[in-house]
Amino acid sequence: MTAQTMSYSARESSSGSWMQWAMIVALVYLLLVAVGMIGGGFKAATGDQAKELFAFASNPLAALVIGTIATALIQSSSTVTSIIVGLVAGGLPVEIAIPMVMGANIGTTITNTIVSLGHVRQGQEFKRAFAAATIHDFFNLISVVIFLPLEIMFGFLQKIGVAMSGFLVGGDSMSMKGFNFIKPLVKPPIKLLQNGLGDIGLSKAVVGTILIVLGIALIFVVITFIGKLLKKLMTGRAKEILHAAVGRGPISGLTSGTLITVLVQSSSTTTSLIVPLAGSGVFSLRQVYPFTLGANIGTCITALLAATAVSGANAIFALQVALIHLAYNILGVVVIYGIPLLREIPPRAAEKLAELAVEKKIYVAVYVVSVFFLLPVILIAGSNLLGM
Amino acid sequence: MSNIQERKQELQGQITELETSLAELRGKLEAVEEAEQHAMIDQLEEYIDVVNHKSAGLKAFWQVVKKELGDVLGSKG
């Protein structure tokens, strides 16, 4: 290759990556607009009656199940938590949103479990891959078992959310209100769409419903595209982060998992990435464990970003939910990974299940159907019977 | 008595020597493992898209489960 063609291809690749970054900026803007659309849509459709609309999910177990199943079906916790932020902007009470966010954590673990099934014909490799995938499931399940009852009894996560949001936007000296340039950028297209739909004679309720549906669809499409683009652009940086983490212990693994998830905006990508790495036997289950937990923390960035788009009286609650999601995932790591007795439960459970899975693959099918679909239905039915 | 002391010292010396070589071997093994991990990370492009190939994995899994179920039902029938 001549120097001229090399310089031409370098220029072309740099302009290509510049284009991709411009697209990401545009997509992030669309994500913010979409979240604003959901909030605005609920306000238009229900006025101040949104709380009544969400009464069906006032049972925390029902809310947990909705979060789990929605995420398991969509296979993106970022999408579901961004939608939840939009719903809170539209009037969904924070106390209902909290179990939904916890459910999103459980639902997202189905993706890497499915990825691990690709190794099904390779005996020991499948065993390691399946254990690396389900360690995330067990961690998130234990996290809910510990924190959901505490939240129901004491509302401690909600209190943390109030304190954190107060710290960020409440005080005079640290107020972000004056610096939030996102809301004025996001509002005009939503207003334009709302007015346009109103001008063609649609009622407020119909306009609101259209905004909600469009907002949800847009979040789904935008996050999918952002994930694809970032994966292309960030593979090199992800490699650097992983190289730097090798041989440096769990804190480094946790940090690299967080950073890579922030870079690719998808915990499923991060947790699925480790499945073949662990499956090959090159990385041990104990080595990938903290990396997986980092994905839980890194994925919170999308909802935080989404919360910046919300305006109006519910903006503070939308920010609270995003901060609660972050606090919940950090607390999970501190408590479960920090206490040796609890720390050992996810890897041991994952190893035991993987042993069974190697023996009979039908156990895998039973496990996936039970945890992600059957158990949630039983939980709802049981709690309804108990009159919760 | 002095023979016993000498024997003890000799054994302690051997233990120290063995421990040193064990630590050295552990260090070497760690270096080999880390080199293997770095080599795998260098091929990250191959793995980062793994999340997009879920349907193939599910298909393969379903084939295996179907065969297992067939074997179970066949042996009962």
Side-chain angles (χ1 to χ4, degrees):
Chain A
M1 200 188 282
T2 65
Q4 202 179 2
T5 51
M6 272 173 78
S7 116
Y8 175 74
S9 67
R11 259 205 318 271
E12 201 169 54
S13 118
S14 137
S15 85
S17 115
W18 185 89
M19 283 280 287
Q20 285 173 328
W21 278 113
M23 269 182 82
I24 285 173
V25 172
L27 286 168
V28 168
Y29 177 68
L30 278 180
L31 171 71
L32 300 177
V33 170
V35 173
M37 278 164 72
I38 298 176
F42 270 102
K43 269 180 232 157
T46 65
D48 292 329
Q49 309 301 309
K51 200 169 180 174
E52 281 78 11
L53 188 74
F54 294 115
F56 73 95
S58 59
N59 172 347
L61 292 179
L64 178 79
V65 168
I66 290 168
T68 304
I69 295 183
T71 314
L73 293 175
I74 295 177
Q75 296 201 10
S76 166
S77 62
S78 305
T79 303
V80 172
T81 50
S82 298
I83 292 171
I84 294 170
V85 166
L87 294 179
V88 172
L92 173 73
V94 174
E95 59 267 28
I96 299 179
I98 295 172
M100 280 186 181
V101 161
M102 291 180 175
N105 263 24
I106 297 178
T108 196
T109 62
I110 197 173
T111 309
N112 68 344
T113 303
I114 294 175
V115 166
S116 74
L117 300 183
H119 300 257
V120 71
R121 294 186 200 278
Q122 275 95 33
Q124 286 306 303
E125 188 178 314
F126 173 61
K127 189 177 163 186
R128 290 189 293 258
F130 190 66
T134 52
I135 198 170
H136 193 211
D137 307 20
F138 286 111
F139 181 89
N140 284 338
L141 284 169
I142 293 168
S143 202
V144 168
V145 168
I146 293 173
F147 293 114
L148 184 58
L150 289 175
E151 178 58 22
I152 294 170
M153 284 189 284
F154 308 111
F156 80 107
L157 282 170
Q158 202 172 346
K159 285 175 191 156
I160 290 174
V162 170
M164 284 171 84
S165 61
F167 177 76
L168 283 174
V169 297
D172 288 337
S173 58
M174 280 170 241
S175 175
M176 273 171 50
K177 274 178 189 162
F179 302 106
N180 194 340
F181 58 92
I182 292 174
K183 284 169 198 169
L185 285 176
V186 166
K187 254 187 167 179
I190 302 171
K191 274 273 167 246
L192 193 73
L193 188 61
Q194 208 164 355
N195 293 339
L197 289 169
D199 287 347
I200 56 171
L202 297 174
S203 70
K204 260 190 160 185
V206 175
V207 171
T209 311
I210 292 175
L211 282 179
I212 296 164
V213 173
L214 278 179
I216 291 174
L218 198 57
I219 288 177
F220 182 73
V221 172
V222 163
I223 289 184
T224 307
F225 276 106
I226 289 180
K228 281 188 179 164
L229 277 172
L230 283 177
K231 251 192 279 178
K232 266 193 209 165
L233 287 166
M234 289 300 178
T235 308
R237 191 56 59 85
K239 270 185 188 178
E240 284 170 23
I241 293 170
L242 282 173
H243 277 307
V246 167
R248 293 216 173 149
I251 303 279
S252 195
L254 184 84
T255 314
S256 60
T258 306
L259 289 175
I260 291 176
T261 308
V262 170
L263 291 180
V264 298
Q265 291 274 306
S266 162
S267 61
S268 304
T269 300
T270 313
T271 55
S272 299
L273 173 70
I274 59 148
V275 168
L277 299 182
S280 66
V282 172
F283 288 85
S284 71
L285 185 63
R286 257 74 179 174
Q287 281 171 330
V288 299
Y289 182 19
F291 185 77
T292 304
L293 308 187
N296 270 5
I297 298 172
T299 195
C300 300
I301 191 84
T302 319
L304 276 169
L305 195 64
T308 61
V310 181
S311 56
N314 290 332
I316 188 80
F317 302 121
L319 179 63
Q320 276 173 21
V321 169
L323 290 168
I324 287 167
H325 188 209
L326 178 68
Y328 168 65
N329 283 325
I330 293 176
L331 269 175
V333 173
V334 171
V335 172
I336 301 172
Y337 199 77
I339 300 173
L341 193 71
L342 293 176
R343 186 195 304 154
E344 277 306 302
I345 299 174
R348 288 205 181 152
E351 277 168 341
K352 190 77 212 151
L353 184 66
E355 274 169 30
L356 290 172
V358 168
E359 250 174 62
K360 287 234 182 300
K361 307 299 174 288
I362 192 79
Y363 290 135
V364 178
V366 170
Y367 164 77
V368 171
V369 172
S370 305
V371 170
F372 298 101
F373 302 102
L374 205 58
L375 190 67
V377 173
I378 293 170
L379 271 177
I380 290 191
S383 63
N384 280 340
L385 278 176
L386 293 170
M388 277 177 78
Chain B
M1 191 66 181
S2 67
N3 270 353
I4 290 174
Q5 285 302 331
E6 265 175 35
R7 180 73 184 134
K8 269 170 78 180
Q9 270 179 0
E10 192 185 318
L11 286 170
Q12 267 165 356
Q14 279 177 354
I15 287 170
T16 313
E17 215 171 282
L18 279 172
E19 276 173 347
T20 312
S21 12
L22 206 58
E24 209 173 284
L25 282 174
R26 281 207 181 101
K28 277 183 188 168
L29 177 66
E30 213 171 278
V32 170
E33 281 174 350
E34 283 179 12
E36 199 184 12
Q37 290 177 345
H38 284 297
M40 196 150 194
I41 292 168
D42 279 331
Q43 298 162 14
L44 203 68
E45 288 85 355
E46 284 176 32
Y47 309 113
I48 206 147
D49 273 333
V50 74
V51 74
N52 297 335
H53 309 299
K54 293 189 295 276
S55 56
L58 269 177
K59 230 183 254 175
F61 175 72
W62 176 238
Q63 294 300 324
V64 176
V65 170
K66 224 164 60 175
K67 191 180 172 299
E68 257 184 25
L69 279 174
D71 290 346
V72 171
L73 295 174
S75 68
K76 280 190 178 164

